[in-house]
Amino acid sequence: MIDAPLIDDPDPIEVYLDGLLARLRGTAGDVRRALAESESHLRDAVDDAVARGVLPERAVAEALTNFGGTREVARAFNRRNQPRAARVLLPGLVLEAWAMVVLGLAAVAVSAPVMWLLTQLFGVRTVFGGGPGVHYDPASCAHFLAVQPSAHGCVQAALFESRDDGYVQRIAAAILALILYGGLLAVRRHRRPPVGAPVPALLPSTVGVTVFGGASVALIGYGVDRAVLGYGQGQWLVGGSIALIVAAFYLLRLWRQLTGTSAVPG
Amino acid sequence: MLLLAVLEAGPAHGYEVIAALRGRSAGEFDLPEGTVYPALHRLETDGELTSSWSIEAGRRRRTYRLTAAGHTVLAAQRSEWGRFSHAVRSVLAVSA
């Protein structure tokens, strides 16, 4: 009969290394090296003690005690590795943030045709409108009427101006998104291969869900408020809905990462 | 300085370095062994050591070697420590 430990028996050294892994910070390479050297050291220490006649269980306990607690050892490793990790991660973080800005600007740009469609269906006032009783001073009125000569009166001129400003801003967002996207592609193509750890996969997804989800809640909330008043809700509801779609995209990515191949301690 | 002095004798992996440190100091330097590795890594970053993976007895180990810069630093630190310890011994001898 083979006297082998059961597979389910926890190896104290592996339990220790799991605890160390949970506390270690730094690049993937630094963490991997720290774990590999720690395990090699612990196994050597156990082998030496067993060769001296120490019982295996006692040898393991002694090796772990002599090596130091996970908190103490991790602190010593992290003191060196964390600043290096920050330096290595920074370019990747900048590129992830850059990509997120491009996506945000693209989302703003996409809202333009949706708002145009809604304007055709429900009218300018529903999408962009100012409320009844809004008063404009004579100088503003003069400006609105000058830039919107087809309008019948100051209020309508202000409404058209609001609509046109909305489209211009979204077209500007589209142009900026294209420029930034081109820049992003160029940087990614010419960037040297990244050294060390890539940006942790869950980080961009989590930030994306938070930022776009938060924007969606704020925009839709404001849109609902305007809908109660009966005017100008369209642009906010459209913006909120598109932000919600982007947030859903990040949420789906996050879900796939959580349920996919990403390793978690355990 | 102590780690560099141990490695002056020749390349060694972390466990051997720590065992030599404990043995040569007759157990005086009994610090948590796990904290020695970050010190070795720091010396490597500073260019005083170099290291590479090797497989010995079926186990993967990182072997450390003293570089030329490490030899220079060790010589300087040894000289400085010699002056300092000589001064301390002189003071203690007079006091006694």
Side-chain angles (χ1 to χ4, degrees), chain A residues 60-75:
Chain A
V60 170
E62 275 181 10
L64 291 173
T65 303
N66 292 338
F67 199 71
T70 55
R71 186 187 298 269
E72 185 179 17
V73 173
R75 195 185 301 126

Side-chain angles (χ1 to χ4, degrees), chain A residues 33 36-37 40-41 43-45 47-48 63 66-68 72-73 76-77 79-80 84, chain B residues 13 15 18 31-35 37-38 41-42 44-45 51 53 59-62 64:
Chain A
R33 179 175 169 183
E37 287 194 287
S40 171
H41 179 103
R43 305 273 181 214
D44 279 344
D47 288 351
D48 272 3
N66 292 338
F67 199 71
E72 185 179 17
V73 173
F77 275 114
R79 203 173 297 131
R80 170 186 178 268
R84 280 160 46 84
Chain B
H13 54 77
Y15 184 75
I18 293 164
L31 64 168
E33 294 167 354
T35 60
Y37 288 92
H41 295 181
R42 199 170 299 115
E44 188 178 353
T45 305
S51 72
W53 288 110
R59 191 163 293 155
R60 196 162 170 253
R61 293 184 172 90
R62 191 88 181 174
Y64 293 88

Side-chain angles (χ1 to χ4, degrees), chain A residues 113-161:
Chain A
V114 180
M115 281 194 278
W116 177 84
L117 189 64
L118 286 179
T119 303
Q120 304 306 308
L121 293 173
F122 303 109
V124 180
R125 189 163 170 272
T126 303
V127 181
F128 295 99
V134 176
H135 177 73
Y136 300 103
D137 63 67
S140 299
C141 268
H143 167 71
F144 292 144
L145 289 167
V147 295
Q148 300 290 344
S150 63
H152 303 294
C154 180
V155 171
Q156 193 178 43
L159 187 59
F160 287 175
E161 181 65 357

